[in-house]
Amino acid sequence: MVIPHFWAESRLQSKTPAKQVTVKRWGWSDISQEDAQSVADRRAQEAMERILSGEDIRRRELKDAYGAEDGVPIREEVISRHENAIVTRNSYGSLCLNTPNVFFADVDAPWRGAWRIHPAGCLSVVIAGIVVGIWQRSPLLGCAIAIGIPWLWSLVNNSVNRMRRPTAEALAKQENLAAIRSFAASHPEWHLRVYETPAGFRLLAMHAAFDPTGEAAKAALNDLNSDKRFATLCALQACFRARVSPKYWRMGYKPKELLPKSKWPFPPEHVQRRERWVAGYQAIVPKFASCRFIERLGSPIVHPDAESVRALHDQLCRADSSLPLA
């Protein structure tokens, strides 16, 4: 796991009568900003040489802060370091706990509406409205059918699903929790702490340290039906990750000044605005919990690294409180 403190970007351009090549590369360091710039310059120069020699490689690295490019570390603001664990702030303002060897898995419990609108059905109604309008020589009738029926169906559908959502979400969580308990029963050597989240459950393995790139972690994430992108990023960045402060929209935090849509390192013109946004966000955070501890499953064995991360995780998440989840 590599999460550097300093970041810099280098831009190189090569012009010839035949073509112009522009290359951008990130550089990073835990030593200094100057060292990060030196790394960026070196990576940009290496990329330029490869392109000019005929290799087909990406000229600009993507803006995704987490796992977009092979070999590029997590690019987020480092808030604090705790032995091997690092707390960062992600692009939408939440704090995230990153650890190189303590297993986390988020297992969401998505629900599907009892009624669903199929795009093909909507298209059929629109076509029918056009046909009827032409046949009856009435554009008004055609529009009423093509627009009115889908709108009315959507209105009824949303109303029904809104009433059924609490029950459907509870049922989905029950099914997921049963699957988690089944996994624990078939892996008695595991010690799992189970936390409820707004979208499902979070699991923390306490009995051993894990290699995020190893087969054991990959198999467990797959068996637990954890998010596929999360599993991929764990292996790519050699770390496990858990959000430990609320999502701002779930708290109802809607300041007049919006969070700038930029990623770390932030452009100078966004820094003060982002700091004001974060200050307002942090003022509301204590009223919510990110997850809630509900039960322990399996073995009583506790690995010291896992216990250290658990204590930090539970404190940051307010996992032992009765605060609303967000």
Side-chain angles (χ1 to χ4, degrees), residues 201-253:
F201 299 97
R202 174 176 297 164
L203 306 177
L204 169 57
M206 298 292 295
H207 63 288
F210 285 81
D211 176 3
T213 66
E215 292 305 317
K218 293 177 182 178
L221 289 171
N222 182 68
D223 292 346
L224 288 164
N225 199 30
S226 186
D227 178 75
K228 303 302 181 187
R229 174 169 165 78
F230 174 81
T232 299
L233 295 180
C234 283
L236 181 63
Q237 295 289 2
C239 87
F240 297 100
R241 183 171 166 93
R243 180 180 55 81
V244 291
S245 74
K247 292 182 176 180
Y248 72 87
W249 56 91
R250 287 179 177 161
M251 299 192 303
Y253 178 49

